[in-house]
Each structure stands twice: as C-alpha cells, then as structure tokens.
Amino acid sequence: MGKKEGRYIVCVGYQAEGNTENLSSSAVNRMLMEFLIYCGRAVFVFYPVYLTGYLGLSISWVLLCMFVLTWWKKNRQWKDARIGSAIDFVDNEKHTINTELKGSLQMASWVNFTDVEKAQWLNKVLEQAWPFFGIYMEKLLRENIQKSVRTCNTALKAFTFTKIHFGHMPLKITGIRAYTHEVEHREVILDMNLSYAGDVDIEAQVNSAITAGVKGLKLQGMMRVVLEPLIGQAPLVGGVTFFFIRRPTLEINWTGMTNVLDSPAFGSLSEDTIIDIIASLMVLPNRMCIPLIDQVKMDQMRFPLPRGVVRVHLLEARDLVAKDTYMMGLVKGKSDPYATLRVGNIHFKSKTIKENLHPKWNEVYEFVVHEAPGQELELELYDEDTDKDDFLGRYNLDLGEVKRGKQMDQWFALEDIQHGEVHLKLQWFSLQTDTSLMKESTDNLACAMLAVYLDNATDLPDSRDGLTKRVACPNSFVEFSIDKDVKKSKVVYASKDPVWEEGFTFFVRNVKAQQLSIQVKEPEKKNPLGVLNLPLSRLLNTSNLTLDQRFLLERSGATSQIKLKATLRILKLEEPPPKPIVNPPSEVKQQQTKQAGNTSVSNPSNAPSSSNAESSSSANLRRFDSHSLLSENSIASSRFDLSDGATYPEAIRNYQGSFGEIELVIRYATLRHKLVVIVNRDLFPCSENGTDSYVRLYLLPDQTWKHRKKTHVKKRTTNPVFNEKVEFDVLLEQAQTRKLDVSVKNNKMLVSRERKDIGSVIIDLSEIDLVKGITAW
C-alpha cells in the first residue's frame, strides 16, 4: 500500500513542480520508449537497403519493393475508406445524406438551422423587380463607375462599357434570420444568406486594341440589414444599413482575358482584387447606408461605435498533423506551424514554430468588434513550406459567444483536418466613458480605443508639380497614424472639396502621450496638402470624450479645413457571469459524510450547452469521480464506491474538485443489431505534460476480458480526443435491460503492471431511447 501510494503522490507532485521532468521516472521511461521506437523505425526502413547490398542485389529491387508497399498501402486505405463509409452510411443514413447534400448542392440555410426562415415571397419580389434592377445598374455603371475608372488611372482614360446586361437569373435569398434578442429596442436586424449565379454579360473596351468582359458570375455571402432607428411616424424606419459581416465568395467567368492581361491597368485584376473592392465598400467596418428621413445623422449610420473589443491570446496547439514526410511517406516528420487570425478585414499572422506538432506561441491580438453576434474569429493553421503552405485545420468562433461568456479559456478542436486542437484565451472588453477605469498595461496592450469618422474637407489648395502651379483640382486621400499604426482613406479624384465618409479605429496604449497625426495627401506625391496633429489627451476634457468639428489644416490653404469626429472609449475587462453551483446527489453527500474526508463531487460546470438531450439525459448517468474509483488492482474498479470500505492513497482522498468528464454518443444500429458507443473526448488533470490514457468499456454484467472493449491510447495529454467507435453485438431488447460501464484509465506499462483508473461512469441503458440516441457529457 505504501509503495503504490508513493507512486501516485509522485504524479500529483509532478503537476505542481512542472519543470522537474528530467528527474521523474515517467519522463525517463517516455524518453527511452521514444528512442526505442525511433531506432526500430530506422532499422525497419534501412535494413532492407543493407540486406540488398549485402546480397549483391540491384537497387531496382529496393525501388520495386517500395513501390509495391506504397501501392498496397494506398489500396488498403482506399478499401478501408469504402468499408467505413458504407458502415457509417448504414448507421447514420439521415445524417450522411444531409451532409452530402449540403456539401454538393449548397442547400439553403433554413434546411440546417431551425431559426432561419425561408424567404420565397422575397425571392418572388426580386424576380419581378430584377429587370428594373438591371436598368438601375446600367445607369450606375455608365454614369458613375465608368467615370471613376477613367479618372483612377491614366491608362484607362478611354475606358468604356460597350455592353451591360444583368441577365434573367435574379439574386436569391436562401434564408433569413431575424434577431429579437441582444439588440436595441429601436432597431431590427436581419441576416440574409445571398446566393447569386447570374448570367450577366458585360463588355468593356479599355482602348481600341484591348477589350475585357464578364459572362457569368457566382456570389455567395451573408448580408446583414439593420433597420434603425424605429420611429413613430411614416416611414417608421429612419434609415437602412446593409453590409457583409464576412467577405463573400466570388467566382467570375472572364472573357477577353488574353488582351486584358496585356494591359498595365488590368495586370493584377482577379477575383481577390474585386473582393477587396467589395470589402472596402460593404464588409465590416464598411457599410452602405440609405437614410429615409432628414433627421438621421450619416456618421452614426455609416460608422456607429463598435460593440466592444476582443483580446485573443493564441497560446498553443497540440496533436497537429505531421505534413513533412520523407521516403514517400514511410517516415513521418513534423510540421512548421503558424496561425492566421482574421476578424472582418483585420488579419494577423503568428510566428512560425519550427518542427513541432505541439507549438506554443503565447501571442496576443486585439480586434474591434462591430457586430456581436455575427462577426467571427476565423483561425487557420498552416505548415510553412518553401513552395506552398500545407493546411493544418481551422476553427471559426462567433464573437457573440465571447460577449456572452465575457472570458473563455479552452481548447478548440480543429475542423477539416484529421486531428489537432488549439488553445485560446479570449477576453471581452466593453467601451466606457469613465476615465477612472483607464488602466495602462505594462505589456504594451491597449487601454483605450479611438474611433475616427472622416467626413470631408473644404477648399484644399491646388495641386502642385514642383514649383509649377496647376489649375486642376487635386486627387486626395487622408492618412491617419498613431505611432506606427497607419491607415488610409480612399482616393477622391479631382475635387477641392472631397467627401470621404469613412471610419477608422485605433488602439491606444498611452492616452496622455500619444497623438493622432492627420495628413491630406496626393497619390504618388511627397508634399502633403495639409496636416493636423491632435493630442489624445485633449479628448479627456471633452463631453462624452468626443470631438466633432472642423479643424484648420496646417501647411495648407488659408481656409482649408477638414471635418472629422474623434471618439475615445476606455476599455474595461468584463468579468464572466457567476457559474451556478450544482449540489451533489444525496447519495454522494452520504458517502462524503461517511468518509469524513475533504473530497467533493460535482457535476462538470463547463459542459457544452449544445442540446437539450444532454440536460435531459444527465439524470440517467450515475457519475463517479476518481476519488471513489482508484482502487488498488481491480480490473473493473469503477464498480467500487467509497461506501465499499476500500482504502485509497491520501493524495486522492485530499484532492479537491472533479477529475474531469467524458463525452459519449450512445445509440442502437437497428439494421445491424449493434449497440454503438462513440467516445468523443474526456478531460482530466494529472500532470502538466499530460497522461497516457485510454477508455475501457463493459456492457454489464459481462465483465470478462472477452467482452472488454477499449480505445487507443492517447499519449501525453490532459485533454485527449478519441473520436472512436465501439460496438457491442446485442439485441435491442437485451440492450434496454443492461448497463454500460465506462472507465478512463491511465496507461502505465513501464512503471507498473497495473493500470490506474482516472474516473468512471455507469449508464443505465433502460432509461435511454437507444434508437434515437443521446449525446451527453
């Protein structure tokens, strides 16, 4: 007893010390095992080469064997995939069909989301109005866009639309969602899923020798429409604002590309550049606004204050896919992972961690959130290579969840990849006007946010070319900067009174020392048309921390002015809402009283809030924590309880809190007469560097080795993800009278012959609808 107790105390102490891995026996055993596996793999790969040379055979035999082995491996994988797909189809016929249809036919969103409604009546309106929309767009392209294209580049002075036809296939709305919660009472928010596969036919002539055209395009995206403010008189709505929350996808069928690519003006033309143009107009924070009454302020419609700020801590990842392989895939290497993070048009890239499947970045990024829910954090992982970077997975998180939870610190499973997880810490900051809340950070993070709305300028000086004064009106844009953070407005051509109507946001780290520098410039010219320096400390003494006025420009004309609105907001870290305290079952209370120990049993507080099935089925699961499950040497130790009088190590009895939870999917495959259990993942703390764990299952009362089922071992992780299917051959009538014994075990083969239990749960299948199935923690 003393010997085994000492072993477990080493495991608990190892978590506290952290950096003493080189002194622990488990670390030495793990290193020896990795070295032996490496040596065995090397012998397996290189011994045939040595044997071929020793026997004096040709190298062609080695190449032939490698070719045959590779072919057999690929063929075997193909057969396994076919068999697995067939089994999954039989077990999950409805889910499989829905998934395939969603991927191939791009079904309407109302099919997959119950809160998204069909909009057939709106599509009928669009179909009826589509010819008139084409007339409007033809007028817009000829009178406005054609003029803008001619003035933006000297190579396009003769640009002319020769044919404009928007076809007979109208835009379709595949789903519409109305928000009634988390919105102001004077606004209505609609999310529309747009799908356009149009037969447009547009032709343009750059000059007499160069032509360009578009014949057909596809556009998909989600557009948000905001109706605000609601008023008590006709037309009941003060204005309409619409924008894309995320960048839409675009496919264009070009015509005349051979000539277009010869043009210097169209040399870089592509779908990406057109998407960038759309993003500059209609992707957050940019909006299209239509005021319906005169009292509506355009600055509030075009650029309302953001909802808040999200600070994203990119901590680490684990169990990533090894993309670097050698010798035709026989030898697996590692990856050089890096991450990209995007919210709207703001994009960041992390540093690259060389040759590591468990990288640690510990980097922090800050994003301004304009719409929550709606805007998403789009995270993607790649393996950096010299030619093309390999994809390692992605995860999209709606920032509305961060706003509700205030703070999140958890692992997220990567999607569209075989395996891998990323660890993120997210914090929600609200925007306040109380300057006493301002706390400057010591790690160069923001303490405030500055929102700038650029309206217009008046009476700019004439454009100059050296000492020669020109009469022509200048082309101008505005450049804002706070230290090294520089942002530019669009270019307004040939105007002494340009109108921009754009908004910008900046993160402020020291309000009293930093200033906003403003320069009105001409494209491709060094000398500015006017400058203005605005100390941010000036905003601290203004009403509502806002300046909204015209400013005289320096180094400009005598009456040259710029009109802008600058608003300062203090960042306040929001605290997460208090978690509800769940009282333990009465039987566990009695067990705790009988033991008179310090152990505690509680339901997991971080279970997913995904479905009602989880909450409804939680009463059917009799849960045991590891306090009552770590017996000495029993195979099925999960059947023991504290009331059984068994003795346990002191470290286990004194451990406070839960040893984790496990997610299971339980259902019955009627056609194949099998009880199917899918082990998704489980969580438990044992050491900072993880535990070698697996899951063992019995269908009680069968408890022999013959009826024993187990998953593969997940090594060196405290958050193993199994995603494995276990099946029991049993009739439905019999399964409904039995119990399922699930135990998470710690694999300690080199340290001890025993396999220590981490935790267990016994599930009464008679209280579950096996045909329908459940998913529960």
Side-chain angles (χ1 to χ4, degrees), residues 281-300:
L281 297 174
M282 296 181 60
V283 177
L284 280 177
N286 306 300
R287 305 164 184 248
M288 298 290 288
C289 303
I290 303 176
L292 301 180
I293 59 175
D294 297 334
Q295 293 79 4
V296 174
K297 293 184 178 181
M298 286 300 297
D299 62 325
Q300 295 180 359

Side-chain angles (χ1 to χ4, degrees), residues 193 409 671:
N193 296 285
D409 187 354
L671 296 179

Side-chain angles (χ1 to χ4, degrees), residues 106-111 116-133 168-177 191-197 219 221:
Q106 296 178 341
M107 296 181 67
S109 55
W110 56 266
V111 176
V116 177
E117 302 175 4
K118 294 187 291 184
Q120 294 297 336
W121 64 272
L122 192 55
N123 289 325
K124 292 181 179 179
V125 172
L126 289 174
E127 183 178 0
Q128 189 73 10
W130 192 251
F132 302 93
F133 173 81
H168 305 284
M169 301 176 63
L171 174 75
K172 291 186 178 296
I173 298 177
T174 59
I176 185 169
R177 175 188 297 175
D191 281 348
M192 298 182 180
N193 296 285
L194 306 182
S195 178
Y196 179 57
L219 176 70

Side-chain angles (χ1 to χ4, degrees), residues 676-694:
V676 181
V677 181
I678 301 177
V679 183
N680 284 343
R681 68 179 70 192
D682 73 319
L683 313 170
F684 60 91
C686 185
S687 69
E688 291 183 353
N689 285 344
T691 306
D692 298 347
S693 60
Y694 66 94

Side-chain angles (χ1 to χ4, degrees), residues 212-399:
V214 174
K215 197 165 186 177
L217 63 84
K218 294 182 179 180
L219 176 70
Q220 286 191 342
M222 186 179 72
M223 177 178 288
R224 173 161 292 186
V225 180
V226 181
L227 308 177
E228 66 170 348
L230 302 180
I231 56 179
Q233 60 186 14
L236 299 181
V237 178
V240 180
T241 305
F242 53 94
F243 50 85
F244 287 103
I245 293 181
R246 292 175 292 277
R247 294 162 64 95
T249 60
L250 178 67
E251 296 181 13
I252 299 178
N253 183 21
W254 296 100
T255 60
M257 286 302 295
T258 303
N259 293 330
V260 168
L261 293 178
D262 296 333
S263 170
F266 282 83
S268 59
L269 189 64
S270 65
E271 283 86 349
D272 291 336
T273 57
I274 296 179
I275 284 294
D276 290 338
I277 295 174
I278 296 176
S280 65
L281 297 174
M282 296 181 60
V283 177
L284 280 177
N286 306 300
R287 305 164 184 248
M288 298 290 288
C289 303
I290 303 176
L292 301 180
I293 59 175
D294 297 334
Q295 293 79 4
V296 174
K297 293 184 178 181
M298 286 300 297
D299 62 325
Q300 295 180 359
M301 286 189 65
R302 291 188 181 275
F303 192 65
L305 280 179
R307 306 286 183 178
V309 171
V310 166
R311 184 172 292 168
V312 180
H313 299 255
L314 176 62
L315 301 179
E316 57 185 326
R318 68 184 178 199
D319 197 24
L320 299 180
V321 175
K323 289 292 185 178
D324 298 332
T325 58
Y326 310 96
M327 296 188 66
M328 301 179 66
L330 294 178
V331 179
K332 289 187 178 181
K334 295 187 178 181
S335 294
D336 305 323
Y338 69 89
T340 62
L341 300 94
R342 178 191 293 272
V343 175
N345 283 336
I346 307 301
H347 179 266
F348 294 105
K349 178 182 176 182
S350 73
K351 62 185 178 183
T352 302
I353 308 298
K354 296 293 184 180
E355 297 184 354
N356 200 325
L357 299 180
H358 306 274
K360 294 185 178 181
W361 291 285
N362 294 320
E363 297 181 357
V364 184
Y365 306 94
E366 295 173 314
F367 297 95
V368 175
V369 182
H370 297 270
E371 294 292 326
Q375 278 189 291
E376 289 185 346
L377 171 65
E378 303 172 38
L379 182 142
E380 293 183 343
L381 267 62
Y382 291 92
D383 168 38
E384 188 175 69
D385 287 324
T386 55
D387 48 0
K388 183 180 179 181
D389 297 343
D390 296 319
F391 178 73
L392 293 177
R394 67 166 51 91
Y395 189 84
N396 293 352
L397 176 65
D398 193 320
L399 297 179

Side-chain angles (χ1 to χ4, degrees), residues 407-511:
Q407 297 186 39
M408 301 174 64
D409 187 354
Q410 65 186 73
W411 289 88
F412 298 94
L414 296 174
E415 300 173 352
D416 301 331
I417 199 71
Q418 292 90 335
H419 52 79
E421 290 182 295
V422 62
H423 186 192
L424 299 177
K425 178 182 178 182
L426 303 105
Q427 298 171 308
W428 179 266
F429 290 81
S430 60
L431 305 179
Q432 306 292 332
T433 58
D434 187 0
T435 56
S436 63
L437 299 175
M438 185 170 57
K439 297 180 181 178
E440 295 183 2
S441 175
T442 58
D443 47 8
N444 201 33
L445 297 176
C447 65
M449 185 210 69
L450 178 69
V452 180
Y453 178 76
L454 172 64
D455 195 340
N456 60 70
T458 56
D459 199 19
L460 292 180
D462 294 329
S463 176
R464 295 178 179 271
D465 187 6
L467 299 177
T468 304
K469 187 174 181 179
R470 293 193 303 172
V471 181
C473 296
N475 303 329
S476 60
F477 69 95
V478 181
E479 180 180 280
F480 296 93
S481 63
I482 296 181
D483 295 336
K484 296 181 180 180
D485 190 3
V486 180
K487 297 182 180 180
K488 300 178 181 180
S489 73
K490 63 183 179 182
V491 178
V492 176
Y493 297 95
S495 176
K496 297 186 66 175
D497 302 316
V499 177
W500 291 283
E501 294 183 340
E502 289 186 79
F504 307 90
T505 56
F506 297 87
F507 287 111
V508 181
R509 290 158 180 80
N510 191 331
V511 177

Side-chain angles (χ1 to χ4, degrees), residues 581-585 588-589 591-593 595-604 623-628 642 651-660:
I581 300 176
V582 182
N583 295 325
V588 178
K589 288 183 178 180
Q591 296 169 5
Q592 293 173 339
T593 306
Q595 286 292 319
N598 295 325
T599 59
S600 62
V601 179
S602 62
N603 291 332
R623 186 178 187 281
F624 295 85
D625 275 340
S626 298
H627 315 71
S628 60
L642 284 175
I652 303 304
R653 295 198 306 268
N654 294 336
Y655 180 78
Q656 299 292 326
S658 171
F659 270 66

